[in-house]
Amino acid sequence: MFTFLASRVVYTLVVVWGVSIAVFLLIRLGGDPTALFLPPEANAEEIVRMREALGFDRPYLIQYVDFLLRALGGDFGFSLRQQQPAMGLVLDRLPATLELGAVALALSLLIGIPLGLVSATHRGSWIDRLAMLVSLFGQSFPAFWLAIMMILLFSETLTVLPPSGRGGLAHLVMPGTALAAFSTAIITRLLRSSMIEVLQSDYIRTARSKGLAPRAVIFRHALRNAAIPTLTVVGLQVGALLGGAVITEEVFAYPGVGRLAVQAIAQRDFAVVQAFVIFSAVLIVSINLLIDAVYVWLDPRLRQR
Amino acid sequence: MKRREIIKWLGAAVAGAKGAQLSAPVFAQAPRDTITIAQASDAQTMDPGRHTHFPTANVLFHIFDALVTVDEDGRFQPALAESWSNPNPLTWQFKLRRGVRFHNGEEFNADAVKFSFDRVLNREFRSPMLARISHIRSVDVVDPFTVNFTTAAPFPTMLFSVVEASFAALIMPPRYARETAPEVLARQPVGTGPYRFVEWRRDDRVVLEANPDYWGGAPRIRRAVWRPISETRTRIAELRSGGVDLAGDIPPEEVAGLNRAPTKVVDVASDALFFFAFETLRPSPLQDRRVRQAMHYAIDVDAIQRAIMGGYGRRIAVTLPRTAFGYPQDMQPYPYDPARARALLAEAGHANGFALPLTARQGRYLKDREVMEACFGYLSRVGIRVEARYLEQSVWAQVSERRGREGLIFGGWSGMDADLVWYPLLYTGQFQSYYSNPQLDALLDRGRSSVDQDERLRIYRQAAEIIKDDAPLLPLFQPPLIYGLNARLNWRPRTDTMINLRSAAFA
């Protein structure tokens, strides 16, 4: 078990390093930010002078080594546009995004798990068909479309919910729902199908035939096994929620990291994009590491390795 | 809960709701003391010397003042400077307003002006706005309320370098700015403006409160809240539901929906310019003046303006805003005349048309791509097949830096003086120029080396004739600035896209 987790940690570090190279090169593919930073009347000479001052004239390799060494010391550089430390800008907005992500994750678990269970145990019933229809919608509607439709209905027509910003719980309802739609749908479908599979297996039939209460069969025996693939997907969904937050936050003008990232990309604010992507990578691989640990706890077979 | 209790609760709730209804009209009649403005993006910094970003400038313009300002008609008006003159062609002398104090109590005087400009003119400071002010050789204190701005060559457009739209020209308190670390200056602004800084929650809001001692009179609205909302639909929803009182960047098709209570729409033709530039320096059909003129005749600009801009904005006869200094008011645009266009093309030996590359960025200006595509539709009718290459912003910047723009170029420029538009776009060898004409160069040189404004008007009139006839730029129109407003808000937009709340008031 220790070697299993240790190999996972090493793997995690390699992934983050790879991500740092990828983001460094990808953001530079579209060109450097100097000319966009200067007013239109700046001439070639002024652009060159500013580029040298900002250090974007150096070879990529040198820029990357410089960036990597500083980053290892915790310095992710300065935002060109905002003149503040880049990682600080990301971390400042983190509570807002975590709040939104937590609401979305809670919503998708609270709706997805019961719905998946009920559709599996009442397979073919009207509730199963309804759940599948709703989750089909949830999976196929793009988040921004859902977001704009909700704004039109609840803010502009009914005026019951604030269309944008961050404040109380009311500000989380629409962005939380828009963000949760996809993961709710996927959790429902996945849990349903793995439950159906497990419920047909021999040990469940045995448990039933020896007269165990249906509740105990479902929760103690079936759900525990059916939960493993679902758990994997929940882990992946955390990453998807962070990615989805980029769009959702932009539509609802919600002051989180996703919005920061979108604007930083548009303005080619390299330091901020790098800080955001590396932070997200660390977050996502850490969550996957945590999920690996939970597997070990759920699946006794892994403990013996 | 027992039934009786439920009824009691319901009764209380109904009474409460009635109470709220009774008090609602009272609220409605009370003067609103907060204005909320929605812009497409948040401020980037609170240091006026370190950005090139209009939404940032709009916020800072309420905390700070510049030496001069412009009114809604684009005319210069006194601000921190009460008057100005040219003692000689190389000097602009400003007489400053007395009795003005910064929000922290520091006195505004000539030292503050010198300090503010020296700070951003210093190359070590690396202000991104340096290009706008770099003609200023030195700023000298004559007496506590007089400053001289000296230039190496006569600089007739000086006022455009010291107005608020020249972002780095806002005046800062010297003692505070010297004693404060740059990172703090970027968060805690202190100026002379009509509003004082209260708080800035990044990506959420900037809150300002009225400065009761403002030299121009305390603003009528006590608090100003600036919110960044990038999605157009969301800005409109906030406006319609009363969360926002003023929202910019409204597309023309939304006007009808917003022009009914509780909102309304105001618009103005911006001083930005939509036009095509022709790459005339390398061999191509575009080197023939007849071809360039033919393309003017081929496009029905009025129809495009009606269909895509909803009729908003302003048609231009030459590439210059109609209210700019030097615009030839009596000049007519080329009429829409496709037969004439075909005749000119045939005369130039292109009766069968030709293919023409386009270099443009998209999504930078209001409906830029739609306008371009509409123009290409008209051009194809006279046989000119445009092969469009739309570039992403930073790629466009790189192509431009290599001078790699080809064929037809969709520009985008602004400037309220002929020198600020024609010199960079048409003078031989300028970074943005893809044209060369010694006769025009001579006129543009004369226009920028005199501070006699009447003489300049005569020079630019001649220049306009050449530009229209030789046709190096294909002028379309000034796109509109459309704002959605709370119907009770009295406010007028400015052509330079700056938002000014100094005289805004709720009815």
Side-chain angles (χ1 to χ4, degrees):
Chain A
M1 175 184 147
F2 177 77
T3 46
F4 172 71
L5 287 181
S7 73
R8 285 280 156 193
V9 170
V10 171
Y11 168 73
T12 296
L13 290 175
V14 172
V15 166
V16 172
W17 180 56
V19 165
S20 83
I21 296 178
V23 63
F24 185 89
L25 289 177
L26 282 176
I27 183 79
R28 277 162 179 78
L29 275 185
D32 85 72
T34 319
L36 290 186
F37 184 45
L38 294 177
E41 64 260 44
N43 59 31
E45 187 190 321
E46 284 159 331
I47 295 173
V48 168
R49 200 185 308 131
M50 182 61 93
R51 180 174 296 134
E52 284 167 5
L54 296 172
F56 293 131
D57 58 324
R58 299 172 298 165
Y60 282 178
L61 187 65
I62 292 180
Q63 286 188 52
Y64 178 72
V65 171
D66 184 41
F67 158 71
L68 190 67
L69 291 179
R70 282 167 195 267
L72 287 175
D75 171 9
F76 286 83
F78 246 58
S79 158
L80 173 63
R81 299 283 183 152
Q82 307 195 32
Q83 291 106 44
Q84 305 285 322
M87 194 50 99
L89 289 173
V90 173
L91 296 179
D92 278 352
R93 287 162 178 75
L94 191 61
T97 298
L98 288 182
E99 197 175 286
L100 180 58
V103 166
L105 190 65
L107 270 179
S108 46
L109 292 177
L110 285 176
I111 301 171
I113 292 178
L115 214 55
L117 275 180
V118 173
S119 349
T121 51
H122 297 74
R123 200 173 158 199
S125 70
W126 65 270
I127 194 162
D128 179 29
R129 279 188 222 145
L130 186 70
M132 286 307 98
L133 189 70
V134 169
S135 67
L136 186 69
F137 282 137
Q139 256 181 309
S140 19
F141 288 153
F144 71 89
W145 184 85
L146 202 62
I148 286 178
M149 288 302 127
M150 281 197 286
I151 288 176
L152 272 177
L153 180 63
F154 295 110
S155 302
E156 234 179 300
T157 311
L158 301 174
T159 59
V160 288
L161 288 171
S164 71
R166 184 178 181 217
L169 214 56
H171 285 94
L172 285 167
V173 176
M174 288 196 293
T177 311
L179 196 52
F182 185 81
S183 32
T184 308
I186 207 156
I187 289 171
T188 309
R189 289 182 157 258
L190 204 78
L191 189 63
R192 176 181 179 270
S193 59
S194 44
M195 270 303 270
I196 287 173
E197 202 185 309
V198 170
L199 285 174
Q200 285 165 346
S201 57
D202 293 343
Y203 77 94
I204 295 291
R205 205 178 313 130
T206 313
R208 279 198 174 133
S209 61
K210 80 179 185 184
L212 215 57
R215 186 175 290 244
V217 173
I218 290 169
F219 287 99
R220 198 182 313 151
H221 297 282
L223 182 59
R224 191 149 176 174
N225 277 312
I228 289 187
T230 313
L231 191 67
T232 314
V233 168
V234 170
L236 292 174
Q237 284 307 304
V238 173
L241 286 179
L242 203 63
V246 170
I247 295 161
T248 314
E249 289 179 0
E250 190 75 1
V251 174
F252 292 103
Y254 188 85
V257 287
R259 196 144 182 256
L260 176 76
V262 170
Q263 280 159 12
I265 290 168
Q267 295 163 346
R268 308 232 153 264
D269 201 336
F270 290 176
V272 176
V273 178
Q274 285 162 189
F276 167 76
V277 172
I278 289 175
F279 175 81
S280 310
V282 169
L283 189 71
I284 290 169
V285 294
S286 311
I287 287 166
N288 282 310
L289 199 62
L290 196 73
I291 301 257
D292 286 342
V294 176
Y295 279 153
V296 176
W297 172 70
L298 272 182
D299 189 343
R301 283 170 300 181
L302 283 172
R303 266 177 242 168
Q304 283 141 24
R305 274 207 223 158
Chain B
M1 206 185 276
K2 284 192 201 115
R3 216 168 119 191
R4 199 172 299 163
E5 271 177 78
I6 294 176
I7 291 170
K8 224 164 85 185
W9 273 96
L10 278 177
V14 170
K18 272 191 179 159
Q21 267 178 356
L22 284 178
S23 58
V26 179
F27 273 118
Q29 275 155 19
R32 289 192 57 148
D33 62 356
T34 299
I35 181 170
T36 305
I37 307 105
Q39 304 196 88
S41 66
D42 193 21
Q44 294 176 341
T45 173
M46 291 291 147
D47 185 336
R50 294 206 183 268
H51 72 94
T52 49
H53 187 233
F54 266 100
T56 306
N58 281 331
V59 174
L60 292 181
F61 175 40
H62 292 85
I63 303 170
F64 297 92
D65 287 298
L67 289 179
V68 303
T69 188
V70 297
D71 60 21
E72 287 84 354
D73 301 314
R75 285 183 301 247
F76 283 108
Q77 300 292 348
L80 287 178
E82 285 186 313
S83 64
W84 46 90
S85 59
N86 298 107
N88 62 62
L90 298 182
T91 305
W92 282 79
Q93 185 170 79
F94 293 90
K95 293 280 187 194
L96 306 180
R97 195 174 291 277
R98 289 160 195 264
V100 176
R101 290 196 175 273
F102 288 95
H103 302 153
N104 64 351
E106 269 185 70
E107 192 192 18
F108 163 76
N109 55 27
D111 286 329
V113 176
K114 179 173 172 56
F115 171 83
S116 302
F117 277 92
D118 283 352
R119 187 178 87 104
V120 286
L121 283 168
N122 177 3
R123 290 193 183 269
E124 296 296 302
F125 183 81
R126 305 203 308 234
S127 173
M129 280 305 277
L130 188 64
R132 185 75 54 89
I133 52 176
S134 56
H135 292 79
I136 300 167
R137 198 41 59 89
S138 71
V139 178
D140 302 295
V141 176
V142 178
D143 66 49
F145 291 97
T146 309
V147 274
N148 279 351
F149 282 56
T150 315
T151 53
F155 188 39
T157 56
M158 174 64 90
L159 295 183
F160 293 99
S161 294
V162 299
V163 70
E164 56 268 3
S166 167
F167 305 149
L170 297 175
I171 305 299
M172 301 185 80
R175 184 163 49 78
Y176 174 73
R178 270 194 206 103
E179 289 169 359
T180 310
E183 312 88 84
V184 181
L185 274 186
R187 292 196 304 260
Q188 299 276 336
V190 172
T192 57
Y195 286 89
R196 288 181 186 144
F197 176 77
V198 178
E199 89 173 307
W200 179 18
R201 279 186 272 158
R202 279 169 194 270
D203 280 353
D204 187 20
R205 61 191 57 223
V206 180
V207 181
L208 309 178
E209 73 177 5
N211 167 14
D213 306 321
Y214 186 53
W215 55 264
R220 306 262 294 276
I221 303 171
R222 274 204 15 245
R223 275 172 95 79
V225 178
W226 299 78
R227 292 195 48 205
I229 304 176
S230 41
E231 176 63 40
T232 308
R233 203 59 245 167
T234 314
R235 274 202 304 282
I236 290 171
E238 280 285 8
L239 196 63
R240 291 293 299 171
S241 60
V244 154
D245 303 298
L246 200 174
D249 300 307
I250 303 290
E253 63 271 18
E254 298 288 351
V255 168
L258 284 172
N259 246 336
R260 55 188 163 88
T263 54
K264 65 180 176 186
V265 168
V266 296
D267 76 284
V268 69
S270 81
D271 62 25
L273 301 160
F274 277 11
F275 63 95
F276 287 105
F278 299 116
E279 206 289 304
T280 66
L281 301 176
R282 280 177 287 194
S284 87
L286 296 177
Q287 287 190 317
D288 190 324
R289 181 210 321 211
R290 289 168 298 190
V291 172
R292 300 197 294 266
Q293 287 178 340
M295 290 170 73
H296 283 66
Y297 287 117
I299 299 173
D300 189 349
V301 179
D302 288 328
I304 293 174
Q305 193 189 342
R306 268 198 310 276
I308 297 176
M309 294 291 170
Y312 290 94
R314 242 175 144 181
R315 178 81 198 272
I316 44 177
V318 282
T319 304
L320 194 63
R322 276 190 178 262
T323 49
F325 182 88
Y327 187 89
Q329 295 302 336
D330 53 335
M331 197 175 266
Q332 293 302 313
Y334 281 80
Y336 173 55
D337 188 347
R340 183 90 182 267
R342 274 189 216 98
L344 278 166
L345 284 174
E347 208 182 303
H350 298 289
N352 298 322
F354 58 92
L356 183 62
L358 166 92
T359 316
R361 26 183 188 179
Q362 58 171 327
R364 166 79 199 244
Y365 303 102
L366 178 69
K367 303 207 174 287
D368 48 8
R369 171 108 183 224
E370 289 89 332
V371 170
M372 284 186 257
E373 302 272 345
C375 291
F376 306 155
Y378 281 107
L379 290 177
S380 70
R381 289 190 204 171
V382 298
I384 299 173
R385 300 175 300 281
V386 175
E387 291 161 357
R389 187 161 68 115
Y390 297 105
L391 304 176
E392 205 258 335
Q393 298 263 22
S394 57
V395 180
W396 157 271
Q398 281 175 315
V399 167
S400 305
E401 204 177 330
R402 290 197 307 269
R403 297 197 56 80
R405 299 183 193 170
E406 285 183 301
L408 201 56
I409 303 158
F410 188 77
W413 196 260
S414 63
M416 287 296 277
D417 186 291
D419 177 57
L420 298 175
V421 178
W422 295 343
Y423 189 81
L425 295 182
L426 295 172
Y427 191 87
T428 305
Q430 281 294 297
F431 182 49
Q432 303 276 353
S433 165
Y434 288 80
Y435 176 70
S436 176
N437 179 341
Q439 202 192 347
L440 182 67
D441 286 351
L443 284 170
L444 294 180
D445 271 331
R446 278 173 55 207
R448 66 182 351 231
S449 56
S450 166
V451 290
D452 176 347
Q453 304 293 5
D454 292 331
E455 189 195 344
R456 295 185 69 226
L457 271 183
R458 284 192 295 276
I459 293 168
Y460 287 124
R461 173 71 223 194
Q462 288 177 39
E465 300 286 349
I466 295 177
I467 293 169
K468 188 182 173 195
D469 187 53
D470 207 36
L473 304 173
L474 196 167
L476 300 171
F477 42 79
Q478 299 168 240
L481 293 170
I482 305 177
Y483 299 88
L485 264 57
N486 177 332
R488 291 171 56 208
L489 180 65
N490 287 320
W491 173 82
R492 282 183 68 196
R494 270 167 55 161
T495 61
D496 62 357
T497 78
M498 296 286 298
I499 292 173
N500 185 359
L501 301 176
R502 281 164 177 73
S503 53
F506 285 104

